[in-house]
Amino acid sequence: MPIRLLSVASEVFPLVKTGGLADVVGALPAALAAEGIETLTLVPGYPAVRAALQGGAVVHEYGALFGQPARLVRGQAAGLDLLMLDAPGFFDRPGNPYLGPDGLDWPDNALRFAALARAGADCAAGHIPGVRPDIVQAHDWQAALIPVYQYFDVSGARVPVALTIHNLAFQGIFPAHLLGTIGLPAEAFAVDGVEYYGQLGYLKGGIYFADQVTTVSPTYADEIRTPAHGMGLDGLLDSRAHALAGILNGIDVEVWNPTTDDALAARFDAAHVAARAENKRAVQQRFGLAPDPDALLIGVVSRLTAQKGLDLLLAALADFPRLNAQLALLGSGDKPLEQGFDSAAEDSDRIGCILGYDEALAHLVQGGADAILVPSRFEPCGLTQLCALRYGAVPLVARVGGLSDTVIDASPMALHQGFATGVQFPPDSLPALRSGLARAAALYRDGDAWSRLQANGMASDVSWRGPARQYATLFRRLIGDSGSR
């Protein structure tokens, strides 16, 4: 009999996406189906979700959920079995799901995502007709209160909850006076609860009460137990080390498939990598770069933030003429970085910058850039480098988190043995980034070495098959442990 999984998240590709979380939530259900796991995904009723939902049937009416009329509607969209929390007062807003038009957090985010978690906990408790999960996967702080609600609820069934941390930097910290407003008792506000330095910590509470905590790479699972990467939660995470595991993300290899991708100027496969040259010309044209086949074209598809190390790249742009390198950067984020790259593009014909996000253009950059650069200071997993491997773009990555788990550095031994797939360099250091860029340029000039890196990368399994198997094993163990108590 299939395992019934309730996945609860604040975004899902292709309906609503601000980052890799949406890609994971959208792609994992199909991979889990091959492992005998049926996934029902609970998401907020944003305008895009409401417009896409087909065959929607109301399965529960809340009347008022934290002050807003709400109901749960079940239907299908984009090949997914969805349960939509239809609460227009919370979610019927245009644009970014977390930020208002002023670029600041919506002032009621505490209530909006507590409502999502409350609905998830109600599903887990068996209070929603036709929804009977065997296990819950709660994604990030927006769903992290589910195990907290389960712990303090006095009625209903209890099923195991696996809390998946996609980025510990985002924790859901809110004023303590909201405790009663979100339906938690006074005793929940404790060190062994949701209290976090005098405030409410949604993610902190979830970590404490979840049956299992997972992160999106093994190295990141180790890193967040240290003060350097634990974001103030390293002590708690270290105390829960027995229930902490890292499972690498994959990518949807049907969505990311260079042999069928309509966004490419020329489709290709590992046996016809030369066809990438047409994509390179298309990228150079789109970004206003010279059509130079000999230049090392470096692509960046990223949020423009300090976490991503883009301030270091801005400082390293002076090296590009010496390296005969070009930059095609697609992204948005911190205004000073946007302005810095925009200005650099105006001053140099080697720098191309398109601010914003364009899914099709991201595919073209992956299919046409010679290398994809990810200079992050920390990176839970990263999907950009996985797409690069799939598309024959050599990843140049900082040696952190999932980047170090997924890219094999082109050291002399790895090159000699024939299994290198990219270039790694130490994080958070301008000299290290400059050295990594210089190593990549030298490898690019050695055509045979570069071709081997491309071939090795394209032969890598970046699909969800392996990770889905690991999740399935974990879910079965949690269900078994729960049943034995």
Side-chain angles (χ1 to χ4, degrees):
M1 185 174 179
I3 290 174
R4 297 164 298 187
L5 170 70
L6 177 69
S7 175
V8 185
S10 58
E11 53 187 86
V12 57
F13 180 83
L15 305 180
V16 178
K17 174 179 174 177
T18 67
L21 167 64
D23 292 305
V24 173
V25 175
L28 190 51
L32 288 174
E35 301 295 327
I37 296 176
E38 295 178 350
T39 304
L40 175 63
T41 304
L42 171 61
V43 291
Y46 307 119
V49 177
R50 296 176 71 186
L53 197 70
Q54 298 176 348
V58 177
V59 296
H60 185 71
E61 294 272 5
Y62 275 103
L65 180 61
F66 303 150
Q68 294 291 341
R71 59 184 188 169
L72 288 169
V73 183
R74 187 166 184 171
Q76 289 73 41
L80 299 165
D81 189 8
L82 293 185
L83 186 63
M84 180 181 71
L85 177 58
D86 186 22
F90 284 144
F91 302 118
D92 189 11
R93 304 173 186 180
N96 188 289
Y98 317 116
L99 309 177
D102 57 3
L104 301 176
D105 289 348
W106 290 110
D108 59 348
N109 273 353
L111 299 183
R112 299 170 74 223
F113 296 107
L116 178 68
R118 179 67 266 178
D122 291 341
C123 292
H127 296 326
I128 309 303
V131 180
R132 292 283 190 275
D134 300 306
I135 189 167
V136 174
Q137 184 175 20
H139 295 273
D140 271 347
W141 73 263
Q142 294 92 345
L145 286 182
I146 292 174
V148 181
Y149 284 129
Q150 276 209 142
Y151 181 83
F152 289 102
D153 284 352
V154 296
S155 65
R158 190 190 185 289
V159 301
V161 178
L163 171 63
T164 298
I165 299 172
H166 295 261
N167 192 336
L168 193 65
F170 302 99
Q171 298 183 12
I173 307 298
F174 300 105
H177 69 79
L178 293 173
L179 183 74
T181 307
I182 62 172
L184 287 174
E187 57 265 31
F189 192 72
V191 173
D192 297 339
V194 296
E195 189 275 333
Y196 184 71
Y197 296 101
Q199 300 188 83
L200 298 179
Y202 284 21
L203 187 63
K204 186 259 185 173
I207 292 170
Y208 188 83
F209 288 110
D211 298 272
Q212 177 76 41
V213 179
T214 70
T215 69
V216 289
S217 74
T219 294
Y220 191 61
D222 291 335
E223 289 174 343
I224 61 176
R225 294 170 56 195
T226 69
H229 294 281
M231 305 288 177
L233 293 173
D234 48 287
L236 173 58
L237 287 160
D238 194 49
S239 72
R240 299 225 61 204
H242 64 285
L244 176 63
I247 299 176
L248 274 174
N249 284 338
I251 59 173
D252 188 328
V253 293
E254 296 304 317
V255 172
W256 291 96
N257 185 349
T259 67
T260 60
D261 196 334
D262 290 335
L264 301 180
R267 301 173 186 175
F268 62 94
D269 58 23
H272 303 89
V273 178
R276 295 184 87 257
E278 186 173 340
N279 295 316
K280 181 173 181 176
R281 286 192 294 271
V283 172
Q284 290 170 326
Q285 182 179 20
R286 286 289 298 275
F287 284 82
L289 302 169
D292 183 355
D294 297 323
L296 171 61
L297 177 58
I298 297 174
V300 171
V301 181
S302 177
R303 287 184 290 114
L304 305 185
T305 65
Q307 178 212 323
K308 297 294 186 179
L310 274 302
D311 55 321
L312 300 175
L313 174 59
L314 195 59
L317 293 182
D319 290 358
F320 275 52
R322 176 176 56 82
L323 300 174
N324 190 26
Q326 297 175 328
L327 176 69
L329 180 141
L330 172 65
S332 62
D334 296 345
K335 292 304 177 185
L337 287 174
E338 289 187 354
Q339 292 166 0
F341 282 107
D342 210 26
S343 176
E346 291 180 1
D347 295 341
S348 172
D349 60 1
R350 290 185 174 274
I351 309 302
C353 172
I354 296 179
L355 297 177
Y357 187 74
D358 181 321
E359 186 77 16
L361 184 54
H363 282 240
L364 180 61
V365 172
Q366 292 282 7
D370 298 304
I372 296 293
L373 175 63
V374 190
S376 303
R377 286 182 165 88
F378 65 93
E379 192 63 63
C381 179
L383 301 180
T384 304
Q385 82 281 8
L386 301 181
C387 300
L389 292 167
R390 176 82 165 146
Y391 276 56
V394 174
L396 315 181
V397 302
R399 192 178 295 115
V400 290
L403 301 175
S404 61
D405 288 334
T406 53
V407 177
I408 302 172
D409 182 57
S411 66
M413 182 59 73
L415 284 169
H416 177 71
Q417 295 292 333
F419 51 77
T421 60
V423 173
Q424 292 187 5
F425 49 86
D428 200 13
S429 163
L430 178 57
L433 171 57
R434 295 178 66 188
S435 176
L437 290 168
R439 286 179 60 208
L443 286 164
Y444 183 68
R445 289 192 296 270
D446 182 345
D448 290 341
W450 196 262
S451 294
R452 287 196 299 274
L453 292 178
Q454 288 181 299
N456 291 343
M458 294 189 76
S460 301
D461 183 2
V462 295
S463 75
W464 274 105
R465 285 188 294 270
R469 197 171 303 119
Q470 290 179 271
Y471 275 119
T473 299
L474 175 67
F475 294 157
R476 288 191 173 92
R477 176 180 64 75
L478 290 173
I479 292 169
D481 289 348
S482 176
S484 66
R485 283 199 293 268

